Amino acid sequence: GSVCDSGWSLPEGDVICRQLGYPRASQVLKGAWFGKGLESSPVWLEGAYCEGDEESFMFCSYLAMGSDVTCTHEQDVSVICAEDLTLTNELLCSEGSSRLIDGVTRRDGRVEVCMDGEWGRVCEGNWDYREAAVVCRQLGYPIEGAEVFHDDQNYVPRYNPITV
């Protein structure tokens, strides 16, 4: 069976990837990104929540399990596991995807967007909570608590072009 994408973010993906022998997740993709599960197989879990340091996905909490799940296979979750962060970020440069780079943790950093097969910085003009929330949602984080920092001095400069 599969797992419903409701509530999924990087901590849940991290737990799955570590169980599979990878150091962490680089992306969590919703909406059956890699295809829907077989209609003959169940969607086993809904509303998973992990701290991110659990030894097994089964130690995470869930809103529903088994016959209580209301999701369909259109909501199957997908995860891309990271082997090497630098290599993974380069490989995952798909048009319009976002990433946070050079942050203190993986949940903060300078926003970069992939355009024309290349990662580029985003100019801060008119950037506010709404844009930050979109990036957080795209990266699998909750939008509550999204913050905007216009002071770039906390991040190590890179020489990627300004894309947007």
Side-chain angles (χ1 to χ4, degrees):
S2 61
V3 176
C4 181
D5 63 14
S6 65
W8 266 76
S9 60
L10 282 175
E12 291 78 25
D14 285 345
V15 174
I16 292 293
C17 289
R18 274 199 317 280
Q19 276 190 259
L20 295 171
Y22 296 95
R24 63 177 215 72
S26 61
Q27 277 191 319
V28 172
L29 306 163
K30 299 181 177 188
W33 185 265
F34 291 115
K36 298 188 295 184
L38 298 174
E39 291 303 320
S40 61
S41 67
V43 178
W44 284 114
L45 298 170
E46 179 178 358
Y49 174 79
C50 302
E51 291 291 327
D53 58 359
E54 291 85 352
E55 289 186 32
S56 167
F57 186 64
M58 296 314 292
F59 293 130
C60 298
S61 59
Y62 314 97
L63 291 177
M65 181 183 248
S67 61
D68 295 330
V69 172
T70 60
C71 294
T72 67
H73 285 296
E74 306 232 343
Q75 296 167 279
D76 286 350
V77 72
S78 302
V79 177
I80 297 175
C81 298
E83 292 184 56
D84 173 279
L85 186 58
T86 304
L87 177 62
T88 302
N89 280 337
E90 295 305 318
L91 291 175
L92 292 178
C93 185
S94 59
E95 197 68 20
S97 61
S98 300
R99 69 178 180 180
L100 296 173
I101 197 84
D102 295 329
V104 176
T105 72
R106 68 171 182 251
R107 293 178 182 243
D108 65 89
R110 185 180 63 251
V111 176
E112 292 188 344
V113 175
C114 179
M115 294 188 77
D116 298 324
E118 186 175 4
W119 288 108
R121 297 175 287 152
V122 176
C123 183
E124 72 179 54
N126 297 322
W127 187 270
D128 65 16
Y129 171 80
R130 290 175 300 218
E131 288 81 10
V134 169
V135 170
C136 288
R137 187 173 38 248
Q138 186 177 28
L139 294 174
Y141 295 119
I143 62 171
E144 297 81 21
E147 295 183 54
V148 177
F149 295 95
H150 293 287
D151 180 6
D152 202 35
Q153 69 186 2
N154 294 327
Y155 299 106
V156 178
R158 290 208 179 199
Y159 297 101
N160 292 354
I162 294 178
T163 303
V164 179

